[in-house]
Amino acid sequence: QEAGHQATEAEELLQFIASTETSLGTEGAATILCGDLNATPGTIAHRILQNRFQDAVLHEGLPSYPPDAFTSLKPDVYYFARPRGQQHNPEAYPEWHRQKGRHEVIDYIMYDQTALAAAEPIAVPRLGIDPPAANTSHGDSETNTKQAPESQGAKKAKYGLWAGGWGFASSADKSWETRRLDPTWTPERSHGQLQLGIPNRLHGSDHLPIACTLRFRSHAGSTKRCLDQEPVVAEGGEGGEQAYAKKHRLCT
């Protein structure tokens, strides 16, 4: 999958962005790419996109993703159902299925470094660690901020990521193999050990939101900030009075 359609789609996406900029006459514009890419850091698709864009998580103080980073967090799940591919076969005997949980980064914000810089990088969620404060350091030489020691943010896993039950015991996986066809079997749980996973009552999705603060780079002599005023008819005012909305644009 990594070497297949995801890499091809990443290349096609870059081609689409380039052709769109060309058709609009906006080459070198401040382009931002964000979304669920279904590709984890370091995969071919992710590296292809990094040829054009800067990952808003990575910076001088964090050159790679920590192993416990995630934007999607799914718990282990056992369920009793007909075998895969035979869901509509009434003669198929149900069996226990296991869907292994995982935490992974598949959501991104990427930006064009020629026009933009990260004033505040993404505080990527990490298992058992609070998101770092906004004053994290990064690789932008035009802004110099300090990063608090990681130990200050280290805490136990938050209840906000609790799936609502105890985690499965290590013995559950072994007994699942031998009791796969037993409808009375239930997977053993480890009392007192939280099972982490979303969605839950606090998070309506198995993805957590990510955000960063970007700013325009200053290029002395090549760009300047222009201020235009456009008349806009105010809605809901008596007599249809006019209001002026300020619109910013970059001028070359």
Side-chain angles (χ1 to χ4, degrees):
Q1 184 182 36
E2 175 187 315
H5 74 88
Q6 288 183 333
T8 300
E9 289 174 353
E11 293 175 344
E12 292 176 347
L13 178 57
L14 291 182
Q15 294 172 3
F16 170 76
I17 293 173
S19 62
T20 300
E21 290 176 341
T22 300
S23 63
L24 295 175
T26 58
E27 294 91 339
T31 305
I32 301 171
L33 172 65
C34 54
D36 176 358
L37 302 182
N38 275 326
T40 54
T43 57
I44 294 178
H46 183 249
R47 295 200 300 268
I48 289 174
L49 295 175
Q50 284 185 298
N51 290 333
R52 164 71 192 274
F53 296 102
Q54 170 65 30
D55 190 319
V57 167
L58 305 179
H59 48 80
E60 184 176 335
L62 188 67
S64 62
Y65 277 86
D68 61 344
F70 72 98
T71 61
S72 177
L73 180 63
K74 299 180 180 180
D76 286 340
V77 175
Y78 291 90
Y79 61 96
F80 196 67
R82 291 171 180 167
R84 293 181 177 89
Q86 301 185 50
Q87 292 90 337
H88 304 292
N89 180 5
E91 297 182 359
Y93 191 82
E95 62 183 21
W96 282 100
H97 300 259
R98 182 193 180 197
Q99 182 174 305
K100 187 173 178 58
R102 61 186 185 273
H103 71 276
E104 57 188 2
V105 174
I106 54 178
D107 305 279
Y108 301 90
I109 300 175
M110 297 185 174
Y111 61 93
D112 194 332
Q113 287 192 97
T114 59
L116 297 167
E120 295 180 8
I122 295 173
V124 63
R126 297 178 60 181
L127 289 176
I129 297 180
D130 279 341
N135 62 337
T136 53
S137 64
H138 52 81
D140 176 19
S141 59
E142 299 184 27
T143 302
N144 184 20
T145 54
K146 297 182 179 180
Q147 183 177 16
E150 184 176 284
S151 59
Q152 293 181 11
K155 291 184 178 181
K156 293 183 179 179
K158 292 183 176 180
Y159 278 88
L161 299 176
W162 185 25
W166 301 127
F168 292 111
S170 58
S171 59
D173 193 26
K174 296 179 180 179
S175 59
W176 164 67
E177 293 287 351
T178 59
R179 306 282 296 276
R180 188 188 296 263
L181 301 178
D182 184 357
T184 65
W185 174 80
T186 55
E188 302 88 358
R189 293 184 180 268
S190 180
H191 186 80
Q193 178 181 340
L194 297 182
Q195 182 186 38
L196 301 183
I198 50 177
N200 57 17
R201 63 189 182 90
L202 297 180
H203 300 283
S205 170
D206 60 352
H207 296 249
L208 289 181
I210 55 176
C212 66
T213 301
L214 302 176
R215 63 177 179 80
F216 288 103
R217 287 188 180 273
S218 59
H219 299 284
S222 61
T223 62
K224 62 181 180 179
R225 178 71 67 180
C226 296
L227 180 62
D228 289 346
Q229 288 186 329
E230 289 185 338
V232 178
V233 177
E235 298 180 356
E238 294 184 2
E241 298 131 346
Q242 287 189 335
Y244 286 89
K246 294 181 179 179
K247 181 184 72 174
H248 288 85
R249 60 186 174 88
L250 280 177
C251 300
T252 58

